[in-house]
Amino acid sequence: MTLREERGFGQASLSTIRGPIWRITPLPHTTVPLPRGAIGRKNPATGRPTVLIEEMDPCHLAPVMRATGCRLRRFTLTGVEIEHVPQAEARSRHGFPGAR
């Protein structure tokens, strides 16, 4: 899934006809409890560097199949090395898939 598809939630796009979509994202990690507003609603905070990999329903880009209500596949990789790169630098390095 590209950044534009995630931001265009609910809009018709190529993702509805492409087939399975996978969302791969680093999760925020901290040893201090943070309020939900500080970390966002999609990505729960963890105590260790973690990458979340989850399958998304291509029709509405959610981790639940709309037709059946079943949760789709979800995996976490812990103990991975995550490097924070500011957005401006990531854009200049073409680090966002699907973004120009």
Side-chain angles (χ1 to χ4, degrees):
M1 172 182 358
T2 67
L3 295 174
R4 291 180 188 193
E5 287 173 328
E6 188 170 12
R7 287 191 181 125
F9 175 77
Q11 298 176 3
S13 69
L14 290 175
S15 59
T16 59
I17 58 173
R18 247 194 331 223
I21 294 175
W22 293 89
R23 178 176 180 255
I24 303 169
T25 186
L27 297 179
H29 64 278
T30 180
T31 55
V32 179
L34 294 173
R36 190 86 172 167
I39 58 173
R41 291 183 9 196
K42 286 188 205 174
N43 304 320
T46 61
R48 303 174 47 171
T50 304
V51 172
L52 173 66
I53 303 167
E54 60 185 346
E55 186 177 15
M56 307 294 272
D57 179 352
C59 292
H60 67 288
L61 297 179
V64 177
M65 185 60 73
R66 178 180 277 178
T68 62
C70 294
R71 185 127 178 81
L72 297 172
R73 295 175 283 185
R74 180 181 182 138
F75 308 97
T76 54
L77 303 174
T78 57
V80 296
E81 186 175 325
I82 297 174
E83 178 184 352
H84 176 78
V85 177
Q87 281 192 5
E89 184 179 340
R91 277 196 184 92
S92 69
R93 291 181 174 182
H94 305 288
F96 292 126
R100 293 181 186 179

